[in-house]
């Protein structure tokens, strides 16, 4: 029996099965350097699959350094190369970097257009907080796919979502007030609540997300008026709340006159493009979207569509008090990229790369993957006897940085059964794949105690 007979025996995408089989047989010595592989057409016929699938497999095998093409002679197993383990940071959630050349061109064209439209002295003086008319127009185009018609009077442009969240907490709550949220939440919210003296109250959830009856109960019990949602590709659990549950949560907001912050930075990364909670209860939700998690952290621009013009003015006042104004050139550049279509092109590149990285995670982390990798991160649960902190320590010894579930806990007794693996910061898919293979190997290690020190 040859490697070809086993090429389709495993699970996952067919092209990856072929590549994994080649890699495995190279490692066992069955395929030695210099061994000539069948032609792509011959292999496709032998396996009974499309030629394009084999071509994709060979392309991936070349990218991994497993095979090399020698023109008309065909493809051969490549000689071994020196391998050096590189640290991979899987603790920071960022989108994959778009194509470097395309990004450089977009920034160069955008900066030139900004300077042509507005002279340098104008960009170096004070500007109104909340965005110029051009900024608001650009923001409207970005938000319409999520919200439909957008009211400029209810729209505020801020220098990043973290700034927007801080200003919303200050404008809508007072020190000591309760903020309702999930048990596991974005760490930036934990830091804000601690710094501003707001109490985070975790609301019970089920497989579809926060439970409406428990939201209602917690609001009454803690006299809360503000709720935090991160409903699409949740950070950290990667859960997307289904449409019916979103509508039910919106009804609770309306019936009990609650306000909500809907932090939705990963909406573009969910293939279903779900209607936001704000679409069901527009008069009760501050909807927050950002370019940072969709395209690049360097685009420090966030858009907040508020429940009313009065809420927007209150938010703008707090932003003005906190930072006076956003950085004019950076915000003008972001608006230019949105208006000339460059932002959409960069977004499509980032989404395409994110999808490929998600497929790698799906293939390499089974059966420990406990949430669909719809966004920029994967959520894995720990098989016994692992704990999240022990696993994070073991990963660190392997030059891998991951985020344990206790990092995201909004309760006094943190959960210790999961880790978030961010997929975007690895420089390329090859390094990410190597990191995910090491993660998978660690997850199968049933003796973590020896690594805890």
């Amino acid at each position: 029996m040859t490697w070809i007979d086993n090429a389709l025996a495993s699970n996952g995408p067919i092209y990856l099965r072929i590549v994994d089989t080649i890699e495995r047989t190279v490692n066992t010595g069955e395929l030695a350097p210099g061994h000539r592989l069948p032609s792509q057409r011959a292999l496709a016929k032998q396996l009974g699959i499309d030629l394009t699938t084999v071509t994709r497999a060979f392309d991936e095998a070349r990218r991994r350094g497993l095979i090399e093409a020698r023109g008309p002679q065909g493809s051969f197993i490549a000689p071994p190369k020196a391998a050096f383990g590189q640290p991979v940071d899987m603790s920071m959630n960022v989108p994959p970097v778009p194509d470097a050349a395309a990004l450089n061109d977009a920034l160069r064209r955008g900066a030139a257009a900004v300077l042509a439209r507005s002279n340098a002295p104008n960009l170096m003086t004070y500007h109104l907080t909340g965005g110029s008319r051009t900024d608001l127009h650009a923001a409207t185009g970005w938000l319409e796919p999520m919200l439909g018609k957008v009211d400029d009077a209810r729209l505020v442009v801020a220098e990043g979502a973290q700034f927007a969240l801080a200003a919303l907490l200050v404008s809508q709550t007072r020190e000591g007030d309760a903020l309702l949220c999930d048990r596991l939440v974005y760490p930036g919210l934990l830091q804000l609540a601690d710094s501003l003296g707001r109490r985070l109250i975790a609301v019970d959830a089920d497989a579809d997300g926060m439970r409406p009856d428990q939201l209602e109960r917690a609001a009454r019990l803690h006299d809360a008026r503000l709720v935090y949602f991160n409903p699409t590709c949740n950070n950290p659990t990667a859960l997307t709340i289904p449409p019916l549950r979103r509508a039910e949560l919106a009804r609770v907001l309306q019936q009990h006159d609650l306000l909500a912050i809907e932090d939705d930075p990963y909406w573009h990364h969910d293939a279903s493009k779900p209607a936001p909670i704000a679409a069901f209860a527009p008069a009760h939700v501050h909807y927050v979207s950002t370019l940072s998690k969709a395209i690049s952290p360097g685009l420090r621009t966030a858009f907040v569509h508020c429940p009313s013009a009065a809420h927007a003015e209150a938010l703008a006042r707090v932003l003005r008090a906190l930072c006076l104004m956003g950085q004019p050139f950076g915000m003008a550049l972001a608006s230019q990229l949105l208006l000339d279509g460059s932002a959409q092109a960069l977004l499509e590149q980032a989404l395409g790369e994110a999808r490929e990285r998600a497929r790698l995670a799906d293939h390499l982390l089974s059966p420990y993957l406990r949430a669909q990798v719809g966004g920029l991160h994967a959520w894995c649960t720990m098989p016994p006897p692992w704990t999240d902190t022990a696993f994070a320590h073991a990963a660190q010894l392997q030059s891998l940085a991951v985020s344990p579930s206790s990092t995201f806990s909004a309760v006094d007794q943190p959960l210790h059964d999961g880790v978030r693996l961010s997929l975007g910061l690895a420089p390329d898919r090859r390094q990410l794949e190597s990191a995910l293979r090491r993660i998978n190997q660690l997850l199968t290690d049933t003796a973590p105690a020896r690594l805890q020190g």
Side-chain angles (χ1 to χ4, degrees), residues 97-113 295-296 333 337 340 342 346 349:
V97 177
D99 177 74
L103 181 60
N104 285 339
D105 288 345
L107 293 178
R108 189 180 298 111
R109 291 194 309 270
I295 301 175
S296 171
L333 176 59
L337 296 178
D340 69 16
S342 298
L346 294 172
Q349 290 178 17

Side-chain angles (χ1 to χ4, degrees), residues 2 11 24 48 88 128 163 173 186 209 231 244 248 283 298 362 369 371 394 396:
T2 68
N11 296 319
R24 185 168 55 253
V88 178
L128 290 175
F163 230 136
T173 62
Y186 161 57
L244 179 59
E248 292 169 344
D362 281 329
L369 189 64
Q396 186 178 28

